Amino acid sequence: LKVLVKPRVRSQVEYMTSASAALAHALRVSQWAKLGIAQNTSARSGARAIVHALGVTTVSWRSCSLQLAEPCEFPRGRGRRCRAVPSSPPVGASAHSFMKKLNIPFQGGHLAGHSAKHIWLRRLHQERAAIVDLVEPPLPLGSPASSPCGQSDELVLDNLEARSCLEPPKLSISLTKLDGTRQAFASLHGELLQVGADAEGIEKDILRVHCVLKSKGAFESESEKLWYWIDMYMRRDGDLAREAHGEGADALAVLDSRLFGIWGILLEDIPRASLLRWEHEPDLLSDAIKVGSLKQFLYGESRFPILSNQARKSVRSLNLPVIEKRRQLAIERETQNAAMREYLAEQEKLMSEGRGGTSGKKARIWMRWVQDMAAKIEDLRSGAWTPVGKGSSALRSLRSEVSLAPELLAIITCQTLLNLIYLPVYRRKNNYRHNDFNQHSDPIRSRDGRVPFVTAVVTVGDAVALENSWRTIVGERKFPAKRLPAMGGRMPDHIQKTMSVPLGAALVDLLLDVAMVEVDHDSVPSEELEEIAAARGDLRPPSSLRIAVPAFKHGKELAGKKTVGYIELRDCARPQLDFNDLDVAALAATKFQPMVIQPLPWRPSSEKAESPYMLHESPFIRTKNPHVTCLRVYTPERVARVMDGLGRTPWRVNSWILEQMDRVRELDLGIAEVPPKHDPDIPSLDLPDTASEAEQQGLRIRHHNAQKRCRELQSERPTFELKLRVARDFLSAPRLYFPHNVDFRGRAYPLPPHLNHISDDICRGLLTFADPKPLGKEGFFWLKVSLANLLGKNKISFAERVALVDEHKDRIIDVAKDPLSKENIKFWASADDGPWQALARCKELAEVWASDDQEGFMSGMPIHLDGSCNGLQHYAALGRDEWGAKAVNLTPSDRPQDVYSIVLDIVKVKVEKQAGTFDDDDASTESGVKNMSAKQKAQRLIELGVLQRKVVKQTIMTICYGVTTIGAQQQVLGQLEDMVGDRVEQDELKVLATFLSKLVLKSIDEVFERAMQIKVWFDQVSKILNAWERPTNWMSPIGLACVQPYKKSRTVQVVTKRQKVTLMDDDGPKVDKIKQKMGFPPNFIHSLDATHMMLVAESCQREGITFAGVHDSFWTHASDAHKLNPIIREAFVDLHGRPLLEELYKDMSLHLGGQEKLPPLPQQGSLDLSLVRESTYIFN
């Protein structure tokens, strides 16, 4: 059976149908079940399976024929148009017998259902592409005689057929314009998804494009004309259609849409050398392997179309704004459905290589779960399995609630659950350390390898519901393009938890049933064997050394007074999965990436709200309850413009720092927050009976600390990998932008989560300003101050800091040359406030010193000006507190004041007083650390030498933000663990932390008396509002409506197979009075520091100064630091020059409507705010 398109005969093509057409129709007439093939099998795999099911014994590429094992007769009947011209029949079969075998409508030698040759071609060419490789010879490359336009007996296309199949894509937005709303870009994304769905037809389309371009002479003059046409195409030049005679312009549009929609390659990125190759290699832009090589050359290691430095040299820059827009759209599209693409690519690779599941333990384990789980879902939907008993209603929801393919449901479930188990940092916003102090409050989340059952169920259900909604609305295109709703990452309003949770529960239950791993029998504890055997029967024949056990187990335990269910990965299953750091990082597909164009302007409160991304939707205010943002009734226009300005600050990745991080990881040095590759050894608790109490105590401490470190590393490794992966993706980008939004208090946060300047030292060290400025004399001064600050020398004058850096000049230069020598590591890796940032400044200072023109040196290194305990600065200004203002540098002084040392001195006096007194009532005759007297505790603190500045620093920093007694205990405990945790047991540390934290809080009250009076007034106001069930809310000085979103939860129960799931709805009708009261003081202060930052940002935008803000830390170029300092002071005076407390009093009174009178405002002190303008060290 042969496909034959004869050589060109002017404007006509004679052709004949064959196995290719028959198979293509078989894919459309639902013959899958008859041939025993799954309905969701891909077109290419399905075609091959059909051929084998029909008994094909040989495939001859030379004669283009298929030989069938069983020839059969074919009844003739009436025919229609689109005649199938017969050719010499193959041995043993005919087209008639082939089509009869498939039961395809075929009458009188004609294919039924088509009316015209070219209509048939257009409808068939995509489907034929799926099977053309089975019935047509592969095209030899590099030979003009065998090209699609050559004269041969293989597949040949003339201009007529090429034109009939190369209609320009009908897209809602032109790929060379890209102007529109986010809804329009969502429509464009859906249309490109349809283009991408025909990935197997791209070869035919691009071969036709090649034919048309060659016939138009585009490859003449070493492809100079084609390059010129691409230039005109990107400029939307109307002369292109005239010069390329119409068809050439259409061919470029088709080529662009196919490359962009399927391969993620930008047409303008293809270098001239590749265009020259394409003339003689027609499949250069369609063959997957060759396209992959081209992408590797163009984009290097990046997952996104960002030109590598090597490729940038060989690509002609068109310097058009639309180029970077196209790049940005491609990046946003690439972040969609990452897990699905990776899985399908892995499956296709394994299938094509015939290796099954041999590509690694990860693929071999959870891909098998996907297959088993998909089979059970298919049985459930077909009626082969009917669930009964507990949880059956949730399982039955899989039949009607979602239309997603079983494999897709299984993929979402597997990856979501593994993500939750292996990335605990993304289940918890707070730092993962110091969680042992109050462990009973959350016993499940504090453990590695576990996830609460409710969390798993809700997360899986939400993911499935969102995917189902996206596929339904955008994928199937049930609405016109202009009416497509915006479908970013937000859960649509019509999807309720009561619908998604049963889906999640059913899928999680199925996964727990099918997720099996094979392990050594001896590796499974005997009690687990008994438990598994009771649930599933005997798992091991008597002679077997390996058994299959469930990978996960479901259990319950007490969390306070409640019984909480959890899912845990079995210890014996963990080595089988063997997830390395890169595997775990790949599981967490992020939605928001840095942008390569300036973010689009925010439109936060219009009916058609717009966000900074082209395709992604993002909220302007971060909150779980969008309706409390009040954006429907007012416009925070001023705040939105500030966020636009922050997002337009350009950044780039520091390649030298990235290289050093890779070296530290490869050498496994375990320094500067780079996690080591291996967990520390956990010492056994077995000791001989003769061991002393001190030896037993030391062993217990080492055992506890090793376990704790192992838990921390489980989170730190994948988090570190995620940061480095994003840095590598954007390493070659000349500019990066971080769009910002705000929380309900007005604090600004970048949207990209893994790499941004607000994150930890690793991220900050990786980033530098993209547009350097001449250093100048002032800049050189501030660059040295910045390094001294990072080394922890920020409590001396600026002149002393500069002198300190000059003193270590030789060491700094040596560090820049060889940062990983033992002596140099000691210098920079121990920097108190950021080792990687310190190393980056050492490198730049060494380059400045080596420069012939130091003042003209182009510096992009950010300089930080940080507030001196900024929360207490705002409290001191609100209360006009002279003593407090002096302690936090609001008033002028020769040297920076250290509020932490001031409070520490008071704490030392209290401790020494306790240690030197004796009270009979305080004495205790009972032994044990819990019965220590105050004198004993004080003496123990002095003996251990822990009365240091860092012990009190965190509590002082957070006192104005509402730190509680328990919170202060935890903070002090964390510091004590770091200092003496290796020689003092945990129980004694907790007792000492409780005692010391109380003294710290009392000392703070003495220093900041007026601040504490204001805090008490805040508590009284929130108590009154709570009585009226009103959330505490106020207008920030910059015009943002701040509403505390704390409400009491409502509960809804869903019965599942394994347990009841209680859903907590955070948006109940009543306010959470405790959270409202505790949150008001810190949230109001946060709204003030956010306002201050925005005022500074506005001034910098007017002055043309590059600005970035991290709450109370303001960044700019070294050359502009001397300009930023007075701007900060002036903005602070302007802010607190307003009667802020009086305005708040009137606002609250208005809310109460005169129904209740507020308590009078606390009395203010006599601080002269104008002194702030003279304070050198307010932000130092």
Side-chain angles (χ1 to χ4, degrees), residues 873 876-886 889-893 1010 1129 1132-1134 1136-1138 1164-1175 1178:
Q873 287 180 328
L878 284 173
R880 301 297 193 269
D881 184 355
E882 289 182 292
W883 170 234
K886 181 179 179 181
N889 294 300
L890 287 186
T891 55
S893 61
R1010 293 193 183 277
R1129 287 177 261 162
F1132 191 91
V1133 173
D1134 289 346
H1136 286 281
R1138 297 173 54 175
Q1164 290 184 320
S1166 57
L1167 172 67
D1168 182 4
L1169 272 180
S1170 64
L1171 293 175
V1172 172
R1173 294 189 177 95
E1174 304 172 17
S1175 175
I1178 178 175

Side-chain angles (χ1 to χ4, degrees), residues 563-578:
T563 301
V564 180
Y566 63 87
I567 299 173
E568 184 174 29
L569 185 65
R570 294 184 187 274
D571 292 337
C572 60
R574 188 182 300 276
Q576 290 292 314
L577 285 171
D578 191 26

Side-chain angles (χ1 to χ4, degrees), residues 85 125 191 202 317 348 511 523 668 678 878 907 938 1007 1048:
V85 182
H125 82 278
E191 293 156 356
I202 186 175
S317 175
E348 184 175 350
L511 178 58
S523 67
D668 201 18
H678 306 288
L878 284 173
V907 172
V1007 177
K1048 283 190 174 180

Side-chain angles (χ1 to χ4, degrees), residues 137-151:
L139 295 171
L141 300 179
S143 172
S146 62
S147 72
C149 296
Q151 304 293 325

Side-chain angles (χ1 to χ4, degrees), residues 338-344 346-347 357 359-374 407-416 418 422 511 514-517 551-552 576-577 579 583-584 586-587:
M340 184 69 174
R341 286 198 310 273
E342 289 175 6
Y343 172 76
L344 292 178
E346 182 72 11
Q347 284 283 70
S359 65
K361 292 184 178 181
K362 171 174 172 282
R364 192 163 65 244
I365 296 296
W366 77 268
M367 285 185 181
R368 189 168 66 241
W369 299 348
V370 168
Q371 296 166 0
D372 295 343
M373 188 174 170
E407 284 82 0
L408 181 55
L409 291 172
I411 291 168
I412 292 173
T413 307
C414 288
Q415 291 215 337
T416 302
L418 289 172
Y422 276 92
L511 178 58
V514 304
M516 306 289 287
V517 292
F552 305 98
Q576 290 292 314
L577 285 171
F579 280 81
D583 290 332
V584 178
L587 282 175

Side-chain angles (χ1 to χ4, degrees), residues 163-204:
R163 285 197 299 270
S164 68
C165 299
L166 283 181
E167 294 181 359
K170 296 180 180 178
L171 303 175
S172 55
I173 300 178
S174 170
L175 287 176
T176 56
K177 187 177 181 182
L178 294 184
D179 288 334
T181 63
R182 188 184 54 78
Q183 288 84 354
F185 285 119
S187 300
L188 175 62
H189 176 55
E191 293 156 356
L192 291 174
L193 284 177
Q194 292 182 346
V195 173
D198 185 31
E200 295 169 354
I202 186 175
E203 181 175 2
K204 292 300 174 187

Side-chain angles (χ1 to χ4, degrees), residues 435-489:
N435 53 10
D436 292 357
F437 183 82
N438 194 23
Q439 209 173 46
H440 67 273
S441 64
D442 198 352
I444 292 178
R445 293 194 183 199
S446 63
R447 299 188 184 179
D448 158 46
R450 278 190 180 188
V451 61
F453 184 80
V454 173
T455 300
V457 165
V458 172
T459 307
V460 171
D462 287 350
V464 170
L466 180 61
E467 182 71 20
N468 187 59
S469 178
W470 174 267
R471 297 269 171 154
T472 300
I473 298 176
V474 176
E476 297 180 7
R477 295 293 310 279
K478 290 188 174 181
F479 301 99
K482 64 181 181 179
R483 294 180 55 202
L484 279 177
M487 291 295 297

